[in-house]
Amino acid sequence: MNKFTQPGKLKEVTGSITIPELSSLRLIVVPCSLNDKFETDLQKVLVKRWAKVREEYKHWFSVRQNFKLGSTNTLAVASDTWCVYLLCKNEDGTVDTKALEDGFKKLAEMAKYEKASVHLSEFTLTELPQLRKLAQELIVQEGLNVVIYTEAK
């Protein structure tokens, strides 16, 4: 961290990740696997609001361009909201830690370049608890904000 950079904030809110807070560009993190399954709890919530989230992932899977562990792909679901696919799971659904770290570093670079906030779902953090630490180290320390959503029951 640059000593002149103000650290960002990590904020936890109760609400839906499909209605993200803050006013800048918002990057929603969507972890994905090498198989064509798109059915985690987070993915179901996103598809309920934006059907093209699943369609774009299926297209990326079928084309296979830059489709390897650690890769990222983006989809603009609104002018100020992007879904960022993070390819970090093997075909059997197990998490590849190196791919997760590599992909999250790419996401952090994109967020810094775009001056965007990063949005994570509690569904994602339950499945990938190491993301909280990565978010703190790579995003908050660089002066950007992270918002974690807990879906209201």
Side-chain angles (χ1 to χ4, degrees):
M1 176 176 125
N2 182 335
K3 66 181 177 179
F4 299 110
T5 303
Q6 285 283 74
K9 293 183 173 74
L10 191 134
K11 180 178 178 183
E12 297 193 27
V13 297
T14 300
S16 177
I17 196 164
T18 61
I19 308 169
E21 295 194 354
L22 305 178
S23 61
S24 62
L25 177 63
R26 299 169 283 212
L27 304 178
I28 298 174
V29 180
V30 185
C32 299
S33 62
L34 286 175
N35 61 27
D36 66 341
K37 303 279 188 272
F38 199 79
E39 46 198 43
T40 65
D41 291 334
L42 169 64
Q43 293 163 347
K44 289 176 186 173
V45 168
L46 293 173
V47 167
K48 196 180 287 187
R49 171 92 191 255
W50 301 296
K52 63 184 176 180
V53 173
R54 179 187 292 132
E55 295 165 15
E56 181 62 26
Y57 171 73
K58 295 285 187 177
H59 176 72
W60 190 32
F61 174 80
S62 65
V63 172
R64 297 273 179 168
Q65 183 174 0
N66 194 23
F67 193 81
K68 58 184 180 283
L69 287 171
S71 296
T72 61
N73 196 9
T74 58
L75 168 69
V77 292
S79 61
D80 60 350
T81 307
W82 297 356
C83 284
V84 180
Y85 301 102
L86 186 61
L87 206 50
C88 61
K89 297 185 217 166
N90 294 307
E91 289 179 352
D92 61 359
T94 57
V95 177
D96 184 313
T97 307
K98 174 134 177 49
L100 178 65
E101 290 174 6
D102 292 347
F104 208 78
K105 284 177 185 172
K106 291 175 187 173
L107 172 79
E109 289 170 12
M110 180 191 318
K112 189 172 181 182
Y113 178 78
E114 299 285 351
K115 295 180 179 39
S117 56
V118 174
H119 299 258
L120 296 164
S121 170
E122 191 64 40
F123 294 135
T124 303
L125 294 177
T126 302
E127 186 179 4
L128 306 167
Q130 59 270 52
L131 272 186
R132 186 180 295 268
K133 181 178 178 226
L134 287 172
Q136 186 70 40
E137 291 172 359
L138 299 174
I139 297 172
V140 175
Q141 293 300 317
E142 292 298 324
L144 300 169
N145 295 318
V146 175
V147 182
I148 298 171
Y149 296 86
T150 303
E151 297 289 322
K153 306 233 181 310

